[in-house]
């Protein structure tokens, strides 16, 4: 059984951490940490030598990572420092002594990436300065950093036509600059190539079995008045997030297209939603030109080549198979499917 305590609770056990060039005691009760408050106890003496430090405690992916660690008995902590504050990151690593660091923090914008168009400095600070600082601190500490990035840095072009099945590969140069968010992500990805300790995972339009989560791509499009209908690569988190933990265990680095093989269109997803979840559901389509009138920044549409990931993890399902297995069947409400 786990017992939660706060970092501020009194305890006879202490460790010292360096924070702003001062040393002060921080009470600890165990090596396992809670996703919300801090430290947990675990009576097992046969704990794994792994220990993860996760950034993005309040985010969707960061929260899911914490749950996965708990399910697998992996000791973990959420970083308390701001990514752009090097001293705070060093203090986190000094106090936790992780074997791996996961970065699920950053700015995507609320309610969507249009926010970044009017908050450029905040976006740069988190997505560029913060990520690079974390990568540099991890390198100095000899730690692998798993960085959850985005594949929304490409768009269909003459060499990768829509519907052709020719996807962008890991070594391809980003060609989408339609949004400031994507610009920052492409910029930092290029700079991170110089860090041999970084594993960059390009996620796209992430989907999970939690159909109430507002960040879920399915949740988003079921709430839109109108949707475009374009095939895209996507990431089924229920299947791929556990694989990212395995990638850390293998100390894999470099850039990876972190999507399920193949593409699905908006209409194909909504057809499945109607088949499995709500037989009365309906929607309307509109064109990219019509969409442009109601958004600030253009959106990325592309297919990523998942061959490299599939070669490393042959068990990965195609996007449609994964969507049905991990999302729609567990949530099935209709009897016709």
């Amino acid at each position: 059984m786990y017992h939660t305590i706060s970092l501020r609770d009194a305890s006879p056990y202490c460790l010292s951490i360096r924070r702003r060039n001062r040393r002060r005691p921080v009470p600890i009760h165990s090596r396992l940490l809670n996703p919300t408050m801090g430290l947990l106890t675990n009576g097992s003496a046969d704990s794994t030598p792994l220990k993860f430090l996760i950034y993005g405690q309040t985010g969707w992916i960061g929260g899911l990572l914490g749950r996965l660690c708990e399910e697998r008995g992996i000791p973990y902590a959420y970083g308390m420092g701001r990514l752009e504050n090097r001293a705070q990151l060093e203090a986190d690593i000094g106090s936790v002594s992780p074997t791996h660091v996961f970065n699920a923090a950053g700015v995507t914008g609320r309610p969507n990436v249009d926010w970044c168009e009017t908050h450029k400095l905040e976006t740069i600070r988190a997505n560029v300065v913060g990520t690079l600082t974390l990568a540099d601190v991890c390198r100095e500490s000899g730690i692998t950093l798993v960085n959850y990035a985005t594949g929304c840095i490409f768009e269909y072009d003459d060499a990768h036509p829509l519907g052709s099945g020719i996807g962008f590969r890991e070594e391809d140069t980003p060609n989408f600059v339609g949004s400031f968010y994507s610009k920052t992500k492409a910029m930092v990805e290029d700079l991170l190539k110089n860090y041999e300790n970084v594993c960059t995972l390009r996620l796209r339009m992430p989907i999970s079995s939690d159909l109430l989560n507002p960040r879920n791509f399915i949740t988003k499009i079921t709430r839109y008045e109108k949707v475009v209908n374009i095939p895209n690569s996507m990431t089924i988190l229920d299947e791929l997030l556990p694989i990212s933990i395995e990638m850390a265990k293998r100390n894999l680095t470099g850039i990876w297209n972190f999507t399920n093989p193949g593409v699905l269109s908006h209409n194909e997803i909504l057809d499945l939603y109607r088949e499995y979840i709500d037989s009365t559901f309906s929607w309307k389509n509109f064109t990219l030109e019509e969409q442009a009138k109601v958004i600030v920044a253009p959106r990325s549409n592309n297919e990523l080549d998942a061959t490299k990931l599939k070669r490393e993890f042959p068990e990965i399902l195609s996007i449609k198979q994964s969507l049905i297995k991990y999302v729609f069947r567990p949530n099935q409400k209709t009897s016709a499917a």
Side-chain angles (χ1 to χ4, degrees):
M1 175 176 288
Y2 296 105
H3 304 283
T4 306
I5 69 169
S6 167
L7 286 173
R8 296 185 177 86
D9 291 343
S11 168
Y13 307 97
C14 295
L15 62 82
S16 295
I17 65 172
R18 186 173 300 276
R19 191 179 297 274
R20 296 181 179 177
N21 298 320
R22 292 183 299 169
R23 298 183 69 86
R24 62 187 180 95
V26 176
I28 66 170
H29 197 205
S30 166
R31 292 173 297 174
L32 285 183
L33 299 121
N34 178 277
T36 56
M37 294 298 296
L39 301 162
L40 295 172
T41 59
N42 182 355
S44 173
D46 298 322
S47 61
T48 171
L50 294 170
K51 183 183 286 188
F52 295 162
L53 176 61
I54 302 170
Y55 286 90
Q57 177 176 0
T58 60
W60 181 26
I61 292 177
L64 291 174
L65 278 173
R67 291 183 211 169
L68 286 172
C69 288
E70 289 178 356
E71 292 171 1
R72 287 158 174 71
I74 300 174
Y76 74 100
Y78 280 112
M80 297 294 104
R82 297 187 65 84
L83 293 188
E84 65 270 23
N85 190 314
R86 188 181 187 93
Q88 291 179 2
L89 300 183
E90 291 173 341
D92 284 344
I93 289 176
S95 63
V96 176
S97 297
T99 57
H100 301 79
V101 174
F102 290 76
N103 181 30
V107 167
T108 58
R110 292 288 194 276
N112 53 51
V113 295
D114 286 343
W115 180 92
C116 299
E117 302 298 318
T118 54
H119 297 78
K120 292 184 176 180
L121 292 183
E122 295 95 322
T123 305
I124 292 172
R125 192 174 298 122
N127 292 353
V128 182
V129 177
T131 302
L132 290 175
T133 302
L134 181 59
D136 199 60
V137 170
C138 287
R139 185 183 185 279
E140 291 296 303
S141 302
I143 298 172
T144 297
L145 169 65
V146 178
N147 183 52
Y148 295 98
T150 181
C152 292
I153 52 178
F154 298 98
E155 62 180 341
Y156 290 114
D157 60 15
D158 291 341
H160 309 83
L162 188 153
S164 67
I166 302 174
F168 290 91
R169 296 181 296 178
E170 282 78 3
E171 60 269 25
D172 287 334
T173 301
N175 67 345
F176 178 70
V177 293
S179 73
F180 190 75
Y181 166 79
S182 291
K183 285 181 183 179
T184 64
K185 288 295 191 176
M187 181 186 305
V188 77
E189 179 181 284
D190 184 56
L191 293 171
L192 285 176
K193 292 177 184 177
N194 298 290
Y195 287 85
E196 73 282 355
N197 63 309
V198 176
C199 179
T200 295
L201 304 181
R202 293 174 174 165
L203 286 78
R204 288 212 72 234
M205 298 178 171
I207 295 171
S208 83
S209 54
D210 179 5
L211 295 180
L212 296 178
N213 192 301
R215 309 301 287 176
N216 191 331
F217 179 70
I218 294 179
T219 308
K220 290 180 180 180
I221 63 174
T222 56
R223 294 176 179 177
Y224 289 161
E225 182 179 350
K226 296 180 180 179
V227 298
V228 294
N229 184 37
I230 302 177
N232 272 284
S233 288
M234 301 173 189
T235 302
I236 306 300
L237 295 176
D238 300 70
E239 180 176 19
L240 295 192
L241 267 190
I243 285 176
S244 69
I245 291 178
E246 180 60 31
M247 294 176 80
K249 292 179 180 179
R250 299 182 188 183
N251 287 311
L252 298 176
T253 57
I255 298 173
W256 298 76
N257 288 338
F258 202 60
T259 58
N260 292 83
V263 294
L264 278 180
S265 70
H266 295 62
N267 282 7
E268 287 176 307
I269 292 176
L270 294 176
D271 277 333
L272 289 169
Y273 184 87
R274 181 167 54 191
E275 181 180 358
Y276 283 88
I277 309 299
D278 182 0
S279 61
T280 67
F281 184 79
S282 63
W283 68 94
K284 296 178 181 179
N285 289 129
F286 65 160
T287 65
L288 286 174
E289 292 73 22
E290 291 171 325
Q291 181 194 50
K293 297 177 181 179
V294 296
I295 58 177
V296 177
R299 302 297 194 257
S300 163
N301 294 287
N302 66 61
E303 177 174 355
L304 298 182
D305 186 330
T307 301
K308 179 179 177 181
L309 188 66
K310 180 74 172 178
R311 187 182 302 119
E312 185 74 24
F313 299 95
E315 69 275 15
I316 291 177
L317 299 177
S318 71
I319 180 60
K320 185 173 183 178
Q321 290 174 319
S322 186
L323 186 61
I324 292 173
K325 177 179 179 179
Y326 290 99
V327 179
F328 284 128
R329 281 183 180 159
N331 286 290
Q332 185 172 346
K333 295 181 180 179
T334 67
S335 58

